[in-house]
Amino acid sequence: METGTAPQVTVNSEVLDLEGTDPCTNALDWLRSRGLTGAKEGCAEGECGACAVMVARPDGVGGTHWAAVNACLAPAGSLAGREVVTAEGLGAPDRLHPVQAEMAVRGGSQCGYCTPGFVCSMAAEYYRADRRATAAGPGTGAGDAAARPHAHEAPGPNGFDLVAISGNLCRCTGYRPIRDAAFALGFPAEDDPLATPAEDRPSTPARARVDGPAGSYVRPADLAEALQLVGQHPDAVLVAGSTDWGVDVNLRGSRAPFVIGIDRLPELRALERTPDHLEIGAALTLAELERGLAGSVPLLSAVFPQFASPLVRNTATVGGNLATGSPIGDLAPALLALEASVVLEGPAGSRVVPLDAYFTGYRRSVRRPDELIRSLRVPLPLGRVSAFHKVAKRRFDDISSVAVGISLHVEDGVVARARIGVGGVAATPLRATATEAALQGRPWTERTVRAAAAVLREEGTPIDDHRASAAYRRAMLAASLVRLWAEGETAETVHA
Ligand SMILES: Cc1cc2nc3c(=O)[nH]c(=O)nc-3n(C[C@H](O)[C@H](O)[C@H](O)COP(=O)(O)OP(=O)(O)OC[C@H]3O[C@@H](n4cnc5c(N)ncnc54)[C@H](O)[C@@H]3O)c2cc1C
Ligand code: FES
Ligand code: FES
């Protein structure tokens, strides 16, 4: 294949060469090896945010914005053609960035280990284009209090959304001074170089190739080229957001001589609505999908805030979530309830597989090694009553013990169609078909719900493990349907 443009990345306004970097070298190690030692390694698995940096990325609605990401998970090669800002690029001791200045004067930094990561997450939120609108009051933007389960998550008077820093951990400050710093921030000055209009920033890097001593990172320009590469390199690893693969590399020693980056393939990045279905590109990140859908699929709107942290959602893709075949991935139960199909693309063309026929066993699926997930297809119209319930040890930023997606078409008080997807109760995500049958054709009443909940309790084959006991998982399944009923009117109002 052509090598395309030189593998360069712009870091803090300086163009740096990536050539000679191995595909398993992550962006954090690469930046630190260039003397940019602000970003730290805390956990190396996407949990702490000490490694956060800002990357200019498409905002999902036609422009470009600063997204904070975990540098410990991204392959350095994936930065080719991008623009990156680290804590050093925000400011210096004699000219602190407003975020750094507020953190300093309000005691938001003590030992300082977490601080460079915090200031990058905070700066990305500082530059969020619609923050000013959110500051004008709730109901005007991403910080809409009505969409939030807890009042303490409401945006600050300056519109700063604390969710933006929920992927950053600090062991020293107790967080209060950090919140004070966030809420004290003003708005970017007109001559702030980082507030340059989004259109001026590179958002669609061309194909790239970075060769290192132990292998290559290659980003093909389009789907045809990607499929060709997969055919030529059967040992290649496909990487999209790298939030799963990055953990494998850092903690489990995974290595690959040939890595194919598919996160920029244009064919995998479309979000389209036709009269009868919604097409969701597999390489869209969770954050891009959330912005692109703008609340139009309530069931997915309920998933986004419960999925990892903003740092992870800024890179984790829809396709990556399904491709891992994890029985506790959050999207599968939701997409099963939405009756989604998987569009697979291989050398012989494309085929469409209903999601409930996609998983074949623990982390196995019908996808052949030479196929990519191109998109997810969700039929329209959507059920009017829907919910996504995730039970985890922590409210946010945790993997599910049990997850339930529910979508009901209720017509004239009768359940005309029911689809329920469950995760965490078997070797694969699955549809609760017996429960669906117990609901369909029945009046949408508490009596029906309680009878169906008893059926849902018995779905799957849950096991005892370190996350939860089988008995607890069964109890949570049953509770899910009862909770949807109990929240009844709220669910329909919020989700309609
Ligand atoms: C801190 C942390 C928290 C997390 N929290 C959650 C959570 O709350 N809920 C949850 O469900 N998951 C969670 N995850 C898991 C992970 O973020 C998701 O599974 C994510 O969607 C994976 O997408 P990715 O693009 O990063 O995948 P990658 O790591 O890039 O790829 C994962 C696998 O999928 C394959 N792949 C990727 N895209 C395609 C494609 N289009 N076609 C074929 N194969 C493909 C790759 O080859 C690879 O084998 C978390 C991960 C971390 C690190
Ligand atoms: S080092 Fe903890 S998220 Fe990267
Ligand atoms: S200031 Fe010490 S970890 Fe945050």
Side-chain angles (χ1 to χ4, degrees):
M1 67 171 280
E2 290 176 44
T3 51
T5 52
Q8 293 178 326
V9 51
T10 305
V11 183
N12 302 335
S13 303
E14 190 184 348
V15 177
L16 300 178
D17 207 337
L18 285 158
E19 197 50 46
T21 308
D22 278 329
C24 295
T25 300
N26 65 47
L28 175 65
D29 288 346
W30 183 81
L31 287 166
R32 291 178 61 83
S33 75
R34 295 294 181 281
L36 296 166
T37 51
K40 304 284 189 289
E41 181 180 289
C43 64
E45 58 175 330
E47 300 272 4
C48 74
C51 62
V53 299
M54 299 202 310
V55 181
R57 295 184 60 109
D59 62 8
V61 288
T64 310
H65 72 148
W66 291 114
V69 306
N70 287 316
C72 70
L73 298 178
S78 70
L79 300 179
R82 291 202 187 279
E83 180 167 0
V84 176
V85 172
T86 68
E88 293 90 341
L90 286 174
D94 58 340
R95 45 170 185 82
L96 291 178
H97 185 275
V99 166
Q100 293 166 322
E102 290 299 343
M103 284 285 272
V105 298
R106 289 171 203 276
S109 179
Q110 289 181 18
C111 83
Y113 199 83
C114 69
T115 310
F118 259 104
V119 298
C120 285
S121 287
M122 290 171 80
E125 172 64 5
Y126 174 75
Y127 289 112
R128 175 164 63 85
D130 57 352
R131 181 167 64 88
R132 206 181 280 270
T134 319
T140 50
D144 187 358
R148 291 159 179 279
H150 304 300
H152 68 263
E153 292 158 22
N158 57 357
F160 191 101
D161 187 352
L162 287 178
V163 171
I165 49 174
S166 62
N168 295 80
L169 299 184
C170 174
R171 63 177 188 171
C172 302
T173 61
Y175 297 104
R176 165 80 190 273
I178 296 175
R179 188 192 64 176
D180 291 348
F183 285 177
L185 287 167
F187 292 92
E190 280 186 12
D191 61 351
D192 183 336
L194 294 177
T196 308
E199 301 75 49
D200 289 357
R201 301 206 176 273
S203 62
T204 320
R207 80 162 49 89
R209 178 174 185 126
V210 183
D211 294 309
S216 304
Y217 174 94
V218 176
R219 185 168 58 217
D222 56 26
L223 180 57
E225 193 178 318
L227 291 173
Q228 192 186 4
L229 283 171
V230 172
Q232 290 165 350
H233 299 270
D235 59 343
V237 167
L238 292 176
V239 171
S242 194
T243 59
D244 268 311
W245 193 64
V247 177
D248 281 347
V249 170
N250 294 347
L251 302 190
R252 298 184 196 103
S254 285
R255 293 294 177 266
F258 200 80
V259 172
I260 305 174
I262 57 171
D263 54 321
R264 307 296 312 148
L265 296 182
E267 298 88 344
L268 271 60
R269 292 188 42 78
L271 177 60
E272 288 163 3
R273 183 183 280 265
T274 73
D276 63 352
H277 72 263
L278 191 64
E279 195 86 16
I280 300 172
L284 289 173
T285 67
L286 274 287
E288 286 169 334
L289 183 60
E290 180 175 17
R291 279 190 296 274
L293 291 177
S296 61
V297 182
L299 206 161
L300 291 178
S301 299
V303 175
F304 298 130
Q306 301 184 68
F307 190 110
S309 64
L311 288 168
V312 171
R313 295 199 294 274
N314 279 338
T315 48
T317 65
V318 175
N321 196 247
L322 293 179
T324 62
S326 167
I328 49 172
D330 285 334
L331 284 181
L335 290 167
L336 281 166
L338 292 171
E339 300 187 64
S341 295
V342 185
V343 181
L344 296 170
E345 197 82 33
S350 64
R351 59 188 179 123
V352 182
V353 181
L355 187 56
D356 61 5
Y358 176 76
F359 301 106
T360 54
Y362 181 69
R363 291 191 179 271
R364 282 190 285 120
S365 73
V366 299
R367 184 171 66 84
R368 292 191 286 263
D370 60 356
E371 286 180 317
L372 268 68
I373 301 176
R374 179 190 182 121
S375 61
L376 280 303
R377 193 167 288 168
V378 175
L380 298 173
L382 304 170
R384 270 181 54 82
V385 178
S386 68
F388 176 76
H389 296 149
K390 170 171 174 172
V391 180
K393 288 194 171 183
R394 286 192 313 236
R395 177 81 178 78
F396 294 110
D397 207 0
D398 201 2
I399 301 287
S400 302
S401 301
V402 174
V404 185
I406 305 171
S407 173
L408 307 176
H409 294 253
V410 180
E411 292 167 13
D412 299 328
V414 173
V415 182
R417 190 173 179 82
R419 284 293 178 271
I420 301 177
V422 293
V425 296
T428 67
L430 44 84
R431 257 179 68 196
T433 48
T435 313
E436 292 170 4
L439 285 166
Q440 268 165 195
R442 304 258 157 71
W444 180 230
T445 61
E446 182 172 354
R447 188 187 177 98
T448 301
V449 167
R450 296 217 173 260
V455 179
L456 185 53
R457 174 188 284 270
E458 302 307 320
E459 299 266 15
T461 50
I463 56 168
D464 295 321
D465 68 14
H466 63 287
R467 291 188 200 283
S469 67
Y472 179 74
R473 288 186 155 102
R474 289 202 181 285
M476 290 305 101
L477 279 181
S480 174
L481 208 46
V482 176
R483 178 176 156 194
L484 171 64
W485 169 259
E487 290 173 350
E489 284 314 301
T490 317
E492 264 216 79
T493 315
V494 172
H495 293 177

